[in-house]
Amino acid sequence: MPSNQLNSLIQKEVSRLAKDYKVDSELLLEFAQFVIENHKKKDKADKKIKPLPMAELKKAVYNYFEVKNTNELKKSSSFKMATDGMEQMNLGLKDSWEVLYRKFIGVLPGEDQEEGYGCINGIDIFKYFLPWRVFDLDPKSASKEDIKKAYHTLSRTYHPDGSGTDDTKVFDRINTMYQSIGAEA
């Protein structure tokens, strides 16, 4: 039973549609009620996630390396050691701060349910090195057999000799992740 009373115009149209298309009028009345109740509500999927501003990216990285500003960060021995081997970064660009955030802090807002090339279980494997998430395993409870099983499932999908979604770059990344968590387990 509808909670809102539908006006006569809607009721007449429901009757006409039910008669013309031989559809149950109660079903149309329920649909009309649903539309009235929900037409102004926004779909959560449509809600845009705001990217972190540069100041928040910097603050998170500063906190991680226990420094107060960029100059201290550049001089920090732990920062130098942690970023050794990484590509040269321009700390004047937001992209570089995002790279640091992804590597040391966590997943950026809006990047935890990504889809498309290189995305497995919502994570872009080329942006993030999160093997447990990619393998859909709990690091606290997964056994070596669980890891091996998850690896084989992914490798069947992405193996370069496969006939499905084979991809050498993705397969190599999965192998690196497998070696990483295999050593941890």
Side-chain angles (χ1 to χ4, degrees), residues 5 10 14 32 57 61 64 74 100 108 128 148 151 184:
Q5 184 65 32
I10 293 174
V14 164
L57 291 168
V61 173
Y64 182 84
K74 288 177 181 176
L100 292 171
L108 285 164
Y128 292 95
K148 197 173 187 176
Y151 169 72
E184 284 180 34

Side-chain angles (χ1 to χ4, degrees), residues 47-64:
K47 188 178 177 183
K48 289 190 174 188
I49 298 170
K50 290 182 180 179
L52 281 182
M54 186 117 149
E56 288 189 39
L57 291 168
K58 285 181 173 182
K59 185 178 176 186
V61 173
Y62 295 159
N63 288 340
Y64 182 84

Side-chain angles (χ1 to χ4, degrees), residues 166-181:
D166 53 301
D167 188 296
T168 303
K169 283 177 62 179
V170 173
F171 183 71
D172 290 345
R173 187 76 168 168
I174 290 169
N175 268 332
T176 303
M177 290 183 174
Y178 174 62
Q179 290 166 5
S180 170
I181 62 175

Side-chain angles (χ1 to χ4, degrees), residues 24-50:
D24 182 11
S25 62
E26 287 299 314
L27 183 69
L28 291 175
L29 287 170
E30 282 183 42
F31 182 70
Q33 189 66 38
F34 174 81
V35 171
I36 290 169
E37 290 174 2
N38 295 290
H39 80 285
K40 288 188 177 178
K41 292 181 182 173
K42 291 185 178 182
D43 190 351
K44 289 181 180 178
D46 292 341
K47 188 178 177 183
K48 289 190 174 188
I49 298 170
K50 290 182 180 179

Side-chain angles (χ1 to χ4, degrees), residues 112-113 119-123 125 129-155 158 174 177-178 181:
D112 59 343
Q113 293 299 323
C119 295
I120 301 174
N121 290 326
I123 289 292
I125 63 170
F129 193 82
L130 298 170
W132 294 106
R133 170 112 182 227
V134 170
F135 280 58
D136 197 23
L137 296 171
D138 182 350
K140 295 176 184 168
S141 63
S143 68
K144 285 190 176 194
E145 274 306 309
D146 295 334
I147 296 168
K148 197 173 187 176
K149 187 177 174 184
Y151 169 72
H152 284 291
T153 301
L154 290 175
S155 64
Y158 296 101
I174 290 169
M177 290 183 174
Y178 174 62
I181 62 175

